Amino acid sequence: MRKTKSCLMAGVLALALGVGTVGGFGANISQAAKSAYSVCTDKSTKEVESFAKEVKKAVMNDDWKTLADKISYPIKIYDQKIKNKKAFIKKMKNSDLEEQFFQEIGKEDCKKMFSNWRGIMMGNGEIWIGEVNKELKVISINSPFSSKTIGKPGKIKWSKPSKKDSDAVGIKASWKKVKGAKGYQAKFFLFWPSNKKDSVKKNLKKPSATVYFQDNKGIKVKVRAYKLVDGEKVYGKWTKAKLTAAQAKKYIG
């Protein structure tokens, strides 16, 4: 009899508190047990941590196109407001974040991350993740753009050189001028793809270079800009291009 009364009282108390196996407070407890990040999202622990790993991979590989798809816009990067995906990709192509940003994200194991009502924190707050319209998104990137960076040259264009050498053929590579660049470094790999190591290195002041060679099986080039910071050269990222022997004939005859 006592047992029956105890069960009855427990049932009444459960109804009063909204506790049950379906819905109410009991359902919330069940949901919380599924996710370590229930304070800010309904997504499971696995979903959150898998998303964080994808974000980390994109950052560490400079894969800004992939990261751009994971961002909620507009987004503020330190003190700069980025309106959309296109603007983000363009900004990251021509800029870089401080080295500490990459160091902290590189150390993030994407497990048991700190979270609060604002979202989920990666690193020491370099990146915040939140749920936006029922999807996980990067909602904040906290790092200033580095003053020790220079933009990346645009697409390389090939053409016939204006001057001719009687003993060799030549081909000209040119690219759009990089803002703030003091000069450029270009490396031409001749007889590509059979020659993948030896290169003709050129230090340039103008955004173009011509290379001459005796024979051609293909050619590959990579170019980067540089600027002077405290008297030292600071290089940007490489832009690469290549031509097969068949494609090169269009320019060298």
Side-chain angles (χ1 to χ4, degrees), residues 75-109:
I75 189 170
K76 207 168 186 181
I77 302 180
Y78 200 62
D79 59 351
Q80 296 189 35
K81 189 176 181 179
I82 308 296
K83 293 182 179 180
N84 52 44
K85 176 181 174 181
K86 185 178 179 180
F88 174 78
I89 294 172
K90 183 178 179 180
K91 182 67 177 178
M92 298 311 300
K93 179 182 176 181
N94 297 311
S95 306
D96 208 350
L97 300 172
E98 290 284 2
E99 184 60 30
Q100 186 177 354
F101 171 82
F102 295 97
Q103 291 175 355
E104 295 301 329
I105 296 302
K107 291 187 290 186
E108 176 61 69
D109 64 4

mmCIF file of all heavy atoms in Angstrom, residues 75-109:
data_model
loop_
_atom_site.group_PDB
_atom_site.id
_atom_site.type_symbol
_atom_site.label_atom_id
_atom_site.label_comp_id
_atom_site.label_asym_id
_atom_site.label_seq_id
_atom_site.Cartn_x
_atom_site.Cartn_y
_atom_site.Cartn_z
ATOM 1 N N ILE A 75 29.642 39.295 -41.551
ATOM 2 C CA ILE A 75 30.491 38.867 -40.446
ATOM 3 C C ILE A 75 31.549 39.934 -40.194
ATOM 4 O O ILE A 75 32.012 40.597 -41.130
ATOM 5 C CB ILE A 75 31.166 37.506 -40.736
ATOM 6 C CG1 ILE A 75 31.870 36.984 -39.464
ATOM 7 C CG2 ILE A 75 32.137 37.602 -41.915
ATOM 8 C CD1 ILE A 75 32.345 35.551 -39.576
ATOM 9 N N LYS A 76 31.903 40.079 -38.945
ATOM 10 C CA LYS A 76 32.931 41.042 -38.579
ATOM 11 C C LYS A 76 34.240 40.307 -38.326
ATOM 12 O O LYS A 76 34.292 39.377 -37.523
ATOM 13 C CB LYS A 76 32.520 41.817 -37.329
ATOM 14 C CG LYS A 76 33.137 43.202 -37.244
ATOM 15 C CD LYS A 76 32.482 44.030 -36.152
ATOM 16 C CE LYS A 76 33.009 45.452 -36.169
ATOM 17 N NZ LYS A 76 32.406 46.260 -35.093
ATOM 18 N N ILE A 77 35.276 40.676 -39.048
ATOM 19 C CA ILE A 77 36.607 40.130 -38.818
ATOM 20 C C ILE A 77 37.402 41.231 -38.137
ATOM 21 O O ILE A 77 37.821 42.205 -38.766
ATOM 22 C CB ILE A 77 37.285 39.693 -40.127
ATOM 23 C CG1 ILE A 77 36.425 38.644 -40.840
ATOM 24 C CG2 ILE A 77 38.679 39.139 -39.846
ATOM 25 C CD1 ILE A 77 37.006 38.146 -42.138
ATOM 26 N N TYR A 78 37.549 41.089 -36.844
ATOM 27 C CA TYR A 78 38.182 42.101 -36.002
ATOM 28 C C TYR A 78 37.387 43.401 -36.123
ATOM 29 O O TYR A 78 36.300 43.503 -35.594
ATOM 30 C CB TYR A 78 39.661 42.278 -36.377
ATOM 31 C CG TYR A 78 40.486 42.922 -35.287
ATOM 32 C CD1 TYR A 78 40.626 42.304 -34.055
ATOM 33 C CD2 TYR A 78 41.121 44.129 -35.483
ATOM 34 C CE1 TYR A 78 41.379 42.888 -33.046
ATOM 35 C CE2 TYR A 78 41.879 44.723 -34.485
ATOM 36 C CZ TYR A 78 42.002 44.091 -33.268
ATOM 37 O OH TYR A 78 42.744 44.665 -32.274
ATOM 38 N N ASP A 79 37.883 44.383 -36.865
ATOM 39 C CA ASP A 79 37.172 45.658 -36.962
ATOM 40 C C ASP A 79 36.634 45.918 -38.372
ATOM 41 O O ASP A 79 36.217 47.025 -38.690
ATOM 42 C CB ASP A 79 38.080 46.814 -36.530
ATOM 43 C CG ASP A 79 39.341 46.906 -37.380
ATOM 44 O OD1 ASP A 79 39.598 45.984 -38.179
ATOM 45 O OD2 ASP A 79 40.079 47.904 -37.248
ATOM 46 N N GLN A 80 36.627 44.873 -39.203
ATOM 47 C CA GLN A 80 36.166 45.048 -40.576
ATOM 48 C C GLN A 80 34.928 44.200 -40.842
ATOM 49 O O GLN A 80 34.904 43.004 -40.545
ATOM 50 C CB GLN A 80 37.276 44.675 -41.563
ATOM 51 C CG GLN A 80 38.496 45.583 -41.454
ATOM 52 C CD GLN A 80 39.491 45.351 -42.569
ATOM 53 O OE1 GLN A 80 39.112 45.066 -43.698
ATOM 54 N NE2 GLN A 80 40.767 45.488 -42.267
ATOM 55 N N LYS A 81 33.916 44.819 -41.412
ATOM 56 C CA LYS A 81 32.661 44.135 -41.703
ATOM 57 C C LYS A 81 32.696 43.577 -43.126
ATOM 58 O O LYS A 81 32.934 44.302 -44.085
ATOM 59 C CB LYS A 81 31.487 45.106 -41.544
ATOM 60 C CG LYS A 81 30.123 44.435 -41.617
ATOM 61 C CD LYS A 81 29.031 45.463 -41.351
ATOM 62 C CE LYS A 81 27.652 44.812 -41.389
ATOM 63 N NZ LYS A 81 26.586 45.800 -41.114
ATOM 64 N N ILE A 82 32.462 42.268 -43.261
ATOM 65 C CA ILE A 82 32.457 41.599 -44.557
ATOM 66 C C ILE A 82 31.006 41.269 -44.899
ATOM 67 O O ILE A 82 30.331 40.544 -44.158
ATOM 68 C CB ILE A 82 33.307 40.313 -44.532
ATOM 69 C CG1 ILE A 82 34.709 40.597 -43.976
ATOM 70 C CG2 ILE A 82 33.374 39.695 -45.916
ATOM 71 C CD1 ILE A 82 35.539 41.534 -44.810
ATOM 72 N N LYS A 83 30.521 41.779 -46.021
ATOM 73 C CA LYS A 83 29.099 41.702 -46.330
ATOM 74 C C LYS A 83 28.633 40.347 -46.840
ATOM 75 O O LYS A 83 27.529 39.906 -46.529
ATOM 76 C CB LYS A 83 28.736 42.779 -47.360
ATOM 77 C CG LYS A 83 28.847 44.193 -46.828
ATOM 78 C CD LYS A 83 28.427 45.189 -47.890
ATOM 79 C CE LYS A 83 28.509 46.626 -47.357
ATOM 80 N NZ LYS A 83 28.098 47.612 -48.398
ATOM 81 N N ASN A 84 29.447 39.690 -47.674
ATOM 82 C CA ASN A 84 28.989 38.451 -48.295
ATOM 83 C C ASN A 84 30.156 37.519 -48.639
ATOM 84 O O ASN A 84 31.322 37.866 -48.422
ATOM 85 C CB ASN A 84 28.175 38.758 -49.560
ATOM 86 C CG ASN A 84 28.915 39.695 -50.515
ATOM 87 O OD1 ASN A 84 30.112 39.527 -50.761
ATOM 88 N ND2 ASN A 84 28.212 40.690 -51.037
ATOM 89 N N LYS A 85 29.833 36.373 -49.197
ATOM 90 C CA LYS A 85 30.819 35.345 -49.533
ATOM 91 C C LYS A 85 31.863 35.877 -50.518
ATOM 92 O O LYS A 85 33.062 35.660 -50.344
ATOM 93 C CB LYS A 85 30.100 34.135 -50.120
ATOM 94 C CG LYS A 85 31.010 33.029 -50.602
ATOM 95 C CD LYS A 85 30.192 31.880 -51.179
ATOM 96 C CE LYS A 85 31.098 30.820 -51.797
ATOM 97 N NZ LYS A 85 30.298 29.696 -52.376
ATOM 98 N N LYS A 86 31.422 36.553 -51.552
ATOM 99 C CA LYS A 86 32.327 37.077 -52.570
ATOM 100 C C LYS A 86 33.329 38.053 -51.968
ATOM 101 O O LYS A 86 34.530 38.010 -52.273
ATOM 102 C CB LYS A 86 31.524 37.768 -53.681
ATOM 103 C CG LYS A 86 32.378 38.250 -54.842
ATOM 104 C CD LYS A 86 31.499 38.867 -55.927
ATOM 105 C CE LYS A 86 32.355 39.374 -57.088
ATOM 106 N NZ LYS A 86 31.485 39.981 -58.150
ATOM 107 N N ALA A 87 32.855 38.929 -51.089
ATOM 108 C CA ALA A 87 33.732 39.910 -50.444
ATOM 109 C C ALA A 87 34.734 39.230 -49.522
ATOM 110 O O ALA A 87 35.889 39.651 -49.425
ATOM 111 C CB ALA A 87 32.888 40.922 -49.667
ATOM 112 N N PHE A 88 34.299 38.155 -48.861
ATOM 113 C CA PHE A 88 35.197 37.425 -47.956
ATOM 114 C C PHE A 88 36.340 36.777 -48.736
ATOM 115 O O PHE A 88 37.512 36.890 -48.353
ATOM 116 C CB PHE A 88 34.415 36.356 -47.193
ATOM 117 C CG PHE A 88 35.280 35.470 -46.340
ATOM 118 C CD1 PHE A 88 35.753 35.909 -45.113
ATOM 119 C CD2 PHE A 88 35.635 34.193 -46.767
ATOM 120 C CE1 PHE A 88 36.571 35.096 -44.324
ATOM 121 C CE2 PHE A 88 36.445 33.375 -45.999
ATOM 122 C CZ PHE A 88 36.906 33.827 -44.770
ATOM 123 N N ILE A 89 36.009 36.094 -49.811
ATOM 124 C CA ILE A 89 37.035 35.411 -50.618
ATOM 125 C C ILE A 89 38.031 36.419 -51.184
ATOM 126 O O ILE A 89 39.249 36.199 -51.166
ATOM 127 C CB ILE A 89 36.379 34.597 -51.747
ATOM 128 C CG1 ILE A 89 35.566 33.448 -51.151
ATOM 129 C CG2 ILE A 89 37.435 34.054 -52.713
ATOM 130 C CD1 ILE A 89 34.718 32.700 -52.159
ATOM 131 N N LYS A 90 37.529 37.535 -51.667
ATOM 132 C CA LYS A 90 38.398 38.569 -52.221
ATOM 133 C C LYS A 90 39.323 39.140 -51.149
ATOM 134 O O LYS A 90 40.519 39.360 -51.389
ATOM 135 C CB LYS A 90 37.553 39.698 -52.822
ATOM 136 C CG LYS A 90 38.378 40.795 -53.486
ATOM 137 C CD LYS A 90 37.470 41.861 -54.093
ATOM 138 C CE LYS A 90 38.314 42.962 -54.741
ATOM 139 N NZ LYS A 90 37.440 44.022 -55.332
ATOM 140 N N LYS A 91 38.768 39.375 -49.955
ATOM 141 C CA LYS A 91 39.566 39.927 -48.857
ATOM 142 C C LYS A 91 40.670 38.968 -48.447
ATOM 143 O O LYS A 91 41.826 39.367 -48.255
ATOM 144 C CB LYS A 91 38.654 40.220 -47.666
ATOM 145 C CG LYS A 91 39.375 40.841 -46.461
ATOM 146 C CD LYS A 91 39.869 42.233 -46.777
ATOM 147 C CE LYS A 91 40.526 42.878 -45.582
ATOM 148 N NZ LYS A 91 41.065 44.217 -45.877
ATOM 149 N N MET A 92 40.343 37.700 -48.320
ATOM 150 C CA MET A 92 41.326 36.720 -47.880
ATOM 151 C C MET A 92 42.360 36.419 -48.954
ATOM 152 O O MET A 92 43.476 35.995 -48.651
ATOM 153 C CB MET A 92 40.625 35.438 -47.435
ATOM 154 C CG MET A 92 39.691 35.620 -46.244
ATOM 155 S SD MET A 92 40.440 36.522 -44.850
ATOM 156 C CE MET A 92 41.824 35.464 -44.454
ATOM 157 N N LYS A 93 42.011 36.618 -50.189
ATOM 158 C CA LYS A 93 42.961 36.407 -51.281
ATOM 159 C C LYS A 93 44.068 37.449 -51.239
ATOM 160 O O LYS A 93 45.229 37.171 -51.561
ATOM 161 C CB LYS A 93 42.223 36.479 -52.629
ATOM 162 C CG LYS A 93 43.123 36.286 -53.839
ATOM 163 C CD LYS A 93 42.326 36.416 -55.119
ATOM 164 C CE LYS A 93 43.238 36.312 -56.341
ATOM 165 N NZ LYS A 93 42.475 36.470 -57.610
ATOM 166 N N ASN A 94 43.720 38.653 -50.834
ATOM 167 C CA ASN A 94 44.670 39.765 -50.852
ATOM 168 C C ASN A 94 45.196 40.150 -49.471
ATOM 169 O O ASN A 94 45.948 41.107 -49.344
ATOM 170 C CB ASN A 94 44.019 40.994 -51.507
ATOM 171 C CG ASN A 94 43.659 40.752 -52.956
ATOM 172 O OD1 ASN A 94 44.483 40.277 -53.722
ATOM 173 N ND2 ASN A 94 42.433 41.038 -53.324
ATOM 174 N N SER A 95 44.780 39.422 -48.444
ATOM 175 C CA SER A 95 45.203 39.754 -47.082
ATOM 176 C C SER A 95 45.524 38.475 -46.330
ATOM 177 O O SER A 95 45.315 37.376 -46.831
ATOM 178 C CB SER A 95 44.094 40.519 -46.351
ATOM 179 O OG SER A 95 43.686 41.653 -47.079
ATOM 180 N N ASP A 96 45.987 38.636 -45.136
ATOM 181 C CA ASP A 96 46.241 37.483 -44.283
ATOM 182 C C ASP A 96 46.003 37.890 -42.841
ATOM 183 O O ASP A 96 46.106 39.063 -42.486
ATOM 184 C CB ASP A 96 47.672 36.987 -44.458
ATOM 185 C CG ASP A 96 47.800 35.498 -44.172
ATOM 186 O OD1 ASP A 96 46.820 34.919 -43.660
ATOM 187 O OD2 ASP A 96 48.852 34.919 -44.451
ATOM 188 N N LEU A 97 45.668 36.916 -42.021
ATOM 189 C CA LEU A 97 45.448 37.175 -40.608
ATOM 190 C C LEU A 97 46.752 37.005 -39.843
ATOM 191 O O LEU A 97 47.717 36.437 -40.358
ATOM 192 C CB LEU A 97 44.375 36.224 -40.080
ATOM 193 C CG LEU A 97 43.015 36.346 -40.779
ATOM 194 C CD1 LEU A 97 42.088 35.234 -40.331
ATOM 195 C CD2 LEU A 97 42.370 37.695 -40.519
ATOM 196 N N GLU A 98 46.777 37.485 -38.619
ATOM 197 C CA GLU A 98 47.989 37.396 -37.811
ATOM 198 C C GLU A 98 48.379 35.933 -37.577
ATOM 199 O O GLU A 98 47.522 35.038 -37.513
ATOM 200 C CB GLU A 98 47.768 38.083 -36.456
ATOM 201 C CG GLU A 98 47.655 39.596 -36.533
ATOM 202 C CD GLU A 98 48.997 40.297 -36.735
ATOM 203 O OE1 GLU A 98 50.019 39.592 -36.852
ATOM 204 O OE2 GLU A 98 49.011 41.537 -36.776
ATOM 205 N N GLU A 99 49.667 35.681 -37.446
ATOM 206 C CA GLU A 99 50.177 34.328 -37.275
ATOM 207 C C GLU A 99 49.602 33.653 -36.032
ATOM 208 O O GLU A 99 49.355 32.439 -36.019
ATOM 209 C CB GLU A 99 51.711 34.363 -37.191
ATOM 210 C CG GLU A 99 52.367 32.997 -37.100
ATOM 211 C CD GLU A 99 52.069 32.102 -38.296
ATOM 212 O OE1 GLU A 99 51.861 32.639 -39.412
ATOM 213 O OE2 GLU A 99 52.033 30.877 -38.113
ATOM 214 N N GLN A 100 49.360 34.427 -34.985
ATOM 215 C CA GLN A 100 48.816 33.859 -33.753
ATOM 216 C C GLN A 100 47.454 33.217 -33.980
ATOM 217 O O GLN A 100 47.101 32.225 -33.334
ATOM 218 C CB GLN A 100 48.712 34.933 -32.667
ATOM 219 C CG GLN A 100 48.292 34.362 -31.312
ATOM 220 C CD GLN A 100 48.252 35.408 -30.217
ATOM 221 O OE1 GLN A 100 48.647 36.555 -30.421
ATOM 222 N NE2 GLN A 100 47.788 35.024 -29.052
ATOM 223 N N PHE A 101 46.665 33.771 -34.891
ATOM 224 C CA PHE A 101 45.357 33.216 -35.232
ATOM 225 C C PHE A 101 45.516 31.769 -35.698
ATOM 226 O O PHE A 101 44.814 30.863 -35.235
ATOM 227 C CB PHE A 101 44.709 34.063 -36.327
ATOM 228 C CG PHE A 101 43.451 33.471 -36.909
ATOM 229 C CD1 PHE A 101 42.238 33.630 -36.268
ATOM 230 C CD2 PHE A 101 43.497 32.763 -38.100
ATOM 231 C CE1 PHE A 101 41.073 33.080 -36.803
ATOM 232 C CE2 PHE A 101 42.352 32.208 -38.644
ATOM 233 C CZ PHE A 101 41.131 32.374 -37.998
ATOM 234 N N PHE A 102 46.462 31.538 -36.614
ATOM 235 C CA PHE A 102 46.681 30.196 -37.152
ATOM 236 C C PHE A 102 47.274 29.255 -36.092
ATOM 237 O O PHE A 102 46.951 28.067 -36.062
ATOM 238 C CB PHE A 102 47.595 30.271 -38.374
ATOM 239 C CG PHE A 102 46.973 31.012 -39.526
ATOM 240 C CD1 PHE A 102 47.246 32.351 -39.741
ATOM 241 C CD2 PHE A 102 46.085 30.376 -40.376
ATOM 242 C CE1 PHE A 102 46.665 33.039 -40.787
ATOM 243 C CE2 PHE A 102 45.483 31.056 -41.426
ATOM 244 C CZ PHE A 102 45.774 32.398 -41.630
ATOM 245 N N GLN A 103 48.113 29.797 -35.233
ATOM 246 C CA GLN A 103 48.705 28.984 -34.170
ATOM 247 C C GLN A 103 47.633 28.462 -33.213
ATOM 248 O O GLN A 103 47.631 27.284 -32.839
ATOM 249 C CB GLN A 103 49.761 29.791 -33.412
ATOM 250 C CG GLN A 103 51.016 30.090 -34.222
ATOM 251 C CD GLN A 103 51.988 30.986 -33.477
ATOM 252 O OE1 GLN A 103 51.706 31.464 -32.383
ATOM 253 N NE2 GLN A 103 53.145 31.239 -34.073
ATOM 254 N N GLU A 104 46.721 29.343 -32.817
ATOM 255 C CA GLU A 104 45.684 28.951 -31.865
ATOM 256 C C GLU A 104 44.673 27.986 -32.474
ATOM 257 O O GLU A 104 44.256 27.016 -31.837
ATOM 258 C CB GLU A 104 44.963 30.191 -31.320
ATOM 259 C CG GLU A 104 45.842 31.105 -30.486
ATOM 260 C CD GLU A 104 46.443 30.415 -29.272
ATOM 261 O OE1 GLU A 104 45.808 29.494 -28.715
ATOM 262 O OE2 GLU A 104 47.563 30.789 -28.878
ATOM 263 N N ILE A 105 44.281 28.237 -33.713
ATOM 264 C CA ILE A 105 43.342 27.331 -34.380
ATOM 265 C C ILE A 105 44.019 25.994 -34.651
ATOM 266 O O ILE A 105 43.402 24.929 -34.563
ATOM 267 C CB ILE A 105 42.803 27.947 -35.688
ATOM 268 C CG1 ILE A 105 41.977 29.212 -35.383
ATOM 269 C CG2 ILE A 105 41.945 26.940 -36.458
ATOM 270 C CD1 ILE A 105 40.795 28.981 -34.456
ATOM 271 N N GLY A 106 45.312 26.024 -34.947
ATOM 272 C CA GLY A 106 46.059 24.794 -35.172
ATOM 273 C C GLY A 106 46.110 23.909 -33.933
ATOM 274 O O GLY A 106 46.152 22.679 -34.040
ATOM 275 N N LYS A 107 46.096 24.515 -32.762
ATOM 276 C CA LYS A 107 46.152 23.762 -31.501
ATOM 277 C C LYS A 107 44.783 23.249 -31.060
ATOM 278 O O LYS A 107 44.692 22.401 -30.167
ATOM 279 C CB LYS A 107 46.763 24.636 -30.397
ATOM 280 C CG LYS A 107 48.253 24.926 -30.585
ATOM 281 C CD LYS A 107 48.851 25.641 -29.384
ATOM 282 C CE LYS A 107 48.366 27.059 -29.252
ATOM 283 N NZ LYS A 107 49.054 27.799 -28.165
ATOM 284 N N GLU A 108 43.726 23.761 -31.641
ATOM 285 C CA GLU A 108 42.364 23.377 -31.257
ATOM 286 C C GLU A 108 42.087 21.924 -31.666
ATOM 287 O O GLU A 108 42.193 21.571 -32.839
ATOM 288 C CB GLU A 108 41.353 24.312 -31.924
ATOM 289 C CG GLU A 108 39.900 23.952 -31.665
ATOM 290 C CD GLU A 108 39.556 24.000 -30.193
ATOM 291 O OE1 GLU A 108 39.519 25.113 -29.621
ATOM 292 O OE2 GLU A 108 39.321 22.913 -29.617
ATOM 293 N N ASP A 109 41.709 21.066 -30.691
ATOM 294 C CA ASP A 109 41.420 19.671 -31.011
ATOM 295 C C ASP A 109 39.941 19.433 -31.316
ATOM 296 O O ASP A 109 39.536 18.308 -31.636
ATOM 297 C CB ASP A 109 41.885 18.737 -29.903
ATOM 298 C CG ASP A 109 41.141 18.978 -28.582
ATOM 299 O OD1 ASP A 109 40.213 19.807 -28.551
ATOM 300 O OD2 ASP A 109 41.513 18.324 -27.594
#
